[in-house]
Amino acid sequence: MRAVLTGQVGLDKQEYLRGVERITRDSRSGLAAFHVGDRMYADAPDVPPGRILDLPLSRLHTLRRSVFKDILREAEGRPNIIVNTHATFRWRHSLFRAFDFDQIERLRPDMFICLVDSVDAVHHRLMCKHKVDATLKDTLVWREEEILATELLALALGCANSCYVLPRGKTGGTMRTCFRLITQPHLPKAYVSYPMTHVVGMPEVIAEIDAFRLELADRLIVFDPVDVDEKHLVDAAIAATKEGRDFVESQMSGPDGATQNYQVSAKQLLELAGDIDGQIYARDFQLIDQSDMIISLVPELPDGTPAISSGVERELHHAYEHGRQVYVVWKPERPPSPFITETASRLFRTTTQVLAFLDDARQAKDGAARAAV
């Protein structure tokens, strides 16, 4: 499998892929990673770290073509490769391409993965490593441009059905998902759906949801909306403004695993509130569209009501309308509404039941594959 990994500057994709490579070594799958940016710096020793995008475009394009030519040669004969590059650059308020179509075409990619992360984390990394004047809005716009350019590139090369948006997660927790997409693309892909705001302050319910998410991730390629968690930023900005504070405190894990604390402008976050809501809405549907199924857990609240939000219901309906399998674990005693029963492919009463169902389906599929050989 030949994969191209794109994503804006500020994702720390090198560190992310080092984690993917560690999984590769443990599994002995033979996945080789090629980092276009690192190689460009190696071929341009006169360029200080973080300054390569300040070069004239002519030299930047020449460097990239030279590096990619070497990658094409080294990639020959390797069963599984991933090329770490970009689709676009938004630099000093200018937008320009970050690839050469003829070279990407010669690579013959089977898959495109566009890595994304929360706007605050990307902006923080960007400011730490580069001397550039970029607002949170610039960072948010660049993310959408990167996704769109990656989709268009995949479409042009016949990979539209193998183009994925993959949330990085502040801890890089989706490395196994990235690894499986490339080395085990036959695994079923699932979007996991569950309440968030409805269960705040309910540790037992949250623990049940987290355990369920982990169980699914052991069995499937899972896309989890919590891996790009931005809604809380707007809520925190509103609270900060009311308290007379100019900044929101945020944090993420660094490459060494240590927690990094940083501040985010409350004013800029409030200006982005509509953009963040719109992108959450579009991105979650995109994660559903690139999945084979949606699996939703609906817990029961202490008062006996179902912990289901309008967002979860909309996700279930979107999956149903787009021909995905819709599996719902309905925990409350109160029966589900017709908007659940009429869209669900199958209802389960416990997480154990749906996990057993998935295991049986996998065993049946494996048996059919062996019989066909």
Side-chain angles (χ1 to χ4, degrees):
M1 185 67 65
R2 293 175 165 236
V4 174
L5 181 78
T6 64
Q8 65 192 122
V9 177
L11 285 164
D12 201 2
K13 290 194 274 114
Q14 291 89 344
E15 176 62 28
Y16 181 85
L17 283 180
R18 278 192 280 272
V20 176
E21 289 179 292
R22 285 193 291 271
I23 298 173
T24 298
R25 287 193 293 271
D26 292 342
S27 68
R28 300 179 183 178
S29 67
L31 174 62
F34 298 95
H35 304 277
V36 173
D38 285 357
R39 287 175 175 240
M40 289 174 68
Y41 272 111
D43 283 3
D46 59 311
V47 179
R51 296 294 302 277
I52 201 162
L53 291 179
D54 295 330
L55 293 177
L57 288 181
S58 58
R59 186 181 178 197
L60 196 65
H61 293 330
T62 299
L63 267 174
R64 184 180 63 243
R65 288 194 66 86
S66 176
V67 162
F68 216 97
K69 183 178 179 181
D70 293 338
I71 291 174
L72 288 170
R73 184 182 66 255
E74 295 174 33
E76 284 298 325
R78 293 181 181 267
N80 293 310
I81 69 166
I82 183 166
V83 178
N84 172 21
T85 186
H86 302 272
T88 64
F89 288 122
R90 173 168 284 276
W91 205 248
R92 302 197 183 281
H93 308 287
S94 175
L95 180 69
F96 53 95
R97 63 182 170 86
F99 63 91
D100 292 284
F101 184 82
D102 64 309
Q103 289 187 318
I104 298 288
E105 188 176 32
R106 283 202 293 275
L107 183 68
R108 302 187 308 278
D110 303 293
M111 176 186 301
F112 285 84
I113 301 171
C114 186
L115 200 66
V116 300
D117 200 2
S118 299
V119 63
D120 60 312
V122 174
H123 187 263
H124 175 68
R125 297 190 198 100
L126 189 62
M127 294 299 100
C128 287
K129 296 186 178 181
H130 300 275
K131 294 182 178 180
V132 60
D133 177 23
T135 64
L136 287 173
K137 176 74 171 183
D138 293 329
T139 307
L140 203 68
V141 170
W142 186 357
R143 183 172 69 190
E144 294 303 287
E145 291 166 345
E146 189 76 1
I147 292 172
L148 179 60
T150 303
E151 290 175 341
L152 292 174
L153 190 54
L155 181 64
L157 292 173
C159 299
N161 292 328
S162 299
C163 182
Y164 301 96
V165 172
L166 179 61
R168 180 192 192 280
K170 287 193 176 183
T171 62
T174 63
M175 295 170 185
R176 182 169 60 168
T177 303
C178 183
F179 168 76
R180 285 178 166 179
L181 278 172
I182 300 167
T183 64
Q184 300 171 289
H186 60 280
L187 285 177
K189 302 168 184 66
Y191 177 87
V192 58
S193 175
Y194 48 87
M196 295 184 187
T197 56
H198 281 64
V199 298
V200 172
M202 302 179 187
E204 291 184 1
V205 177
I206 293 174
E208 179 184 27
I209 292 172
D210 289 343
F212 184 56
R213 291 167 53 229
L214 291 174
E215 290 278 9
L216 290 178
D218 282 339
R219 292 165 167 80
L220 310 166
I221 294 173
V222 170
F223 300 111
D224 194 331
V226 80
D227 289 321
V228 183
D229 185 15
E230 292 173 331
K231 183 61 177 175
H232 77 282
L233 292 171
V234 177
D235 296 335
I238 294 172
T241 301
K242 289 180 178 179
E243 296 168 6
R245 292 183 287 112
D246 294 330
F247 297 96
V248 169
E249 300 294 331
S250 193
Q251 63 177 219
M252 65 181 176
S253 297
D256 59 356
T259 299
Q260 295 183 5
N261 297 307
Y262 55 94
Q263 294 183 323
V264 191
S265 167
K267 180 177 182 293
Q268 288 191 41
L269 285 173
L270 291 178
E271 291 172 349
L272 290 179
D275 300 279
I276 287 175
D277 284 349
Q279 291 193 15
I280 289 173
Y281 184 84
R283 183 175 54 249
D284 285 0
F285 287 164
Q286 192 166 14
L287 295 179
I288 294 171
D289 292 343
Q290 66 190 34
S291 303
D292 302 309
M293 65 188 78
I294 182 172
I295 305 176
S296 181
L297 173 60
V298 182
E300 184 176 59
L301 296 176
D303 63 0
T305 60
I308 184 167
S309 64
S310 59
V312 170
E313 287 189 323
R314 186 68 186 90
E315 288 171 347
L316 293 172
H317 194 66
H318 178 88
Y320 170 76
E321 286 183 328
H322 288 76
R324 303 303 186 264
Q325 293 295 317
V326 179
Y327 300 129
V328 179
V329 180
W330 187 267
K331 300 295 293 291
E333 289 298 324
R334 181 182 299 180
S337 75
F339 292 98
I340 301 298
T341 58
E342 293 302 310
T343 57
S345 306
R346 187 157 180 172
L347 283 169
F348 302 89
R349 292 293 297 166
T350 67
T351 56
T352 302
Q353 289 177 351
V354 71
L355 293 173
F357 171 80
L358 293 170
D359 289 340
D360 290 344
R362 182 183 60 188
Q363 291 173 8
K365 184 176 179 180
D366 290 344
R370 286 193 297 270
V373 174

